[in-house]
Amino acid sequence: MKKRMIFATGNQGKMKEIREILADTEYEVVSMKEAGVDAEIIEDGTTFEENAVIKAKAIMELTGELTLADDSGLEIDALNKEPGVYSARYMGEDTPYPVKNQKILDRMEGVPEKERTARFVCVIAAAFPDGQIRTSRGTMEGIIGYEIKGENGFGYDPIFFLPELGRYSAELCSEEKNRLSHRGEALRKIKDIL
Ligand code: IMP
C-alpha cells in the first residue's frame, strides 16, 4: 500500500503536476481538502524558503502526516528582485494580472536588454512527522519582455520571455512549461529527497 502525503495547496493545477511527477514513488499525494484540513496560514516569511516551511510545518502539525508545501514568485534583477515573495500580493491580491504585468513593463521602460534578467523561483518544503524539514529550490531564467504576449500559463507568464526559445512563457504548452519550470525542477529535486 502506498504511503500518504499531503500537498498543502488549494490549487488544482499544482496538485495535477505533483501527482504526475510523484506517480512512480511509494507516495499517494492528497490535497488539504482531501485530508480534511481547512486552515488559513499567514505567510509572513521574507524568503521563499521561510514561507514554504511555514506552510508545510503548520499542516504537518495539524495532521501529523508528511506534508509538502511550495512558495514561488518572480524576481526581477533591475527592480531589486521585486515582486519576489510578494508576487501574488503585488499591487493587491485582487488586481488583475494584465494590470500588474503592464505596471512592470512601465517600470522596466528604458532598461536595456542585458539588464532585464529575471527568474521564476519555486521552493518546496517537506515537513516530516518526526520534525525534520527539507527544502528544494528550482528556477527558470529569462528576461522581462517588451509586451504582454501568449494565452497559456498564468500570472506573470505573458511578460516573461525565454531568449533560448524565442518565446514568452505564456506561449509554452503545459508539457513544455512543466519540463522547464521552476516548479517542475523543485518537485523533481524533492522527489529525490523523499
Ligand atoms: P504561490 O506560490 O502560489 O503563492 O504563487 C506566487 C505567485 O508567483 C503567483 O501568484 C504568480 O503571481 C507568481 N508565479 C509563480 N509561478 C509562476 C509561473 O509559473 N508563472 C507565472 N507566475 C508565477
Side-chain angles (χ1 to χ4, degrees):
M1 213 180 78
K2 284 202 165 199
K3 291 196 239 172
R4 203 166 99 136
M5 170 167 72
I6 299 170
F7 190 51
T9 183
N11 180 320
Q12 283 309 312
K14 288 184 187 174
M15 281 307 300
K16 181 169 176 275
E17 204 178 330
I18 191 168
R19 282 200 173 110
E20 284 167 6
I21 291 175
L22 299 183
D24 61 347
T25 66
E26 56 180 331
Y27 290 100
E28 173 203 0
V29 192
V30 299
S31 66
M32 292 209 296
K33 198 167 162 210
E34 287 160 344
V37 207
D38 185 16
E40 179 92 34
I41 299 147
I42 317 268
E43 294 175 37
D44 55 0
T46 56
T47 63
F48 296 112
E49 275 78 6
E50 277 175 23
N51 280 336
V53 169
I54 288 170
K55 282 185 270 187
K57 226 174 135 199
I59 302 301
M60 184 280 287
E61 281 167 0
L62 275 174
T63 60
E65 295 190 62
L66 170 58
T67 303
L68 298 195
D70 80 328
D71 195 47
S72 60
L74 174 66
E75 284 183 354
I76 303 172
D77 293 325
L79 301 181
N80 205 17
K81 304 256 153 82
E82 274 186 59
V85 290
Y86 303 105
S87 291
R89 290 165 275 175
Y90 181 63
M91 296 179 78
E93 194 100 38
D94 296 329
T95 303
Y97 274 92
V99 177
K100 300 191 198 210
N101 282 332
Q102 189 56 53
K103 176 76 178 177
I104 289 177
L105 293 183
D106 293 346
R107 291 179 69 194
M108 292 295 284
E109 208 179 312
V111 177
E113 178 139 347
K114 64 174 185 342
E115 291 169 28
R116 299 180 78 90
T117 49
R119 69 204 54 77
F120 281 120
V121 179
C122 176
V123 172
I124 297 192
F128 293 84
D130 66 0
Q132 233 196 110
I133 304 273
R134 302 293 298 271
T135 62
S136 72
R137 173 180 266 251
T139 54
M140 178 161 77
E141 300 283 340
I143 65 170
I144 300 304
Y146 297 91
E147 59 183 323
I148 293 174
K149 198 160 177 210
E151 305 296 327
N152 305 332
F154 68 101
Y156 300 101
D157 282 327
I159 57 166
F160 191 81
F161 186 76
L162 298 145
E164 318 84 84
L165 300 181
R167 276 183 290 166
Y168 282 81
S169 183
E171 296 181 289
L172 304 179
C173 66
S174 64
E175 292 80 48
E176 276 177 303
K177 173 94 187 278
N178 289 351
R179 188 155 35 82
L180 301 171
S181 84
H182 48 312
R183 194 164 297 107
E185 185 189 1
L187 281 171
R188 286 187 292 272
K189 283 187 183 167
I190 206 82
K191 179 177 167 175
D192 292 339
I193 290 172
L194 290 171

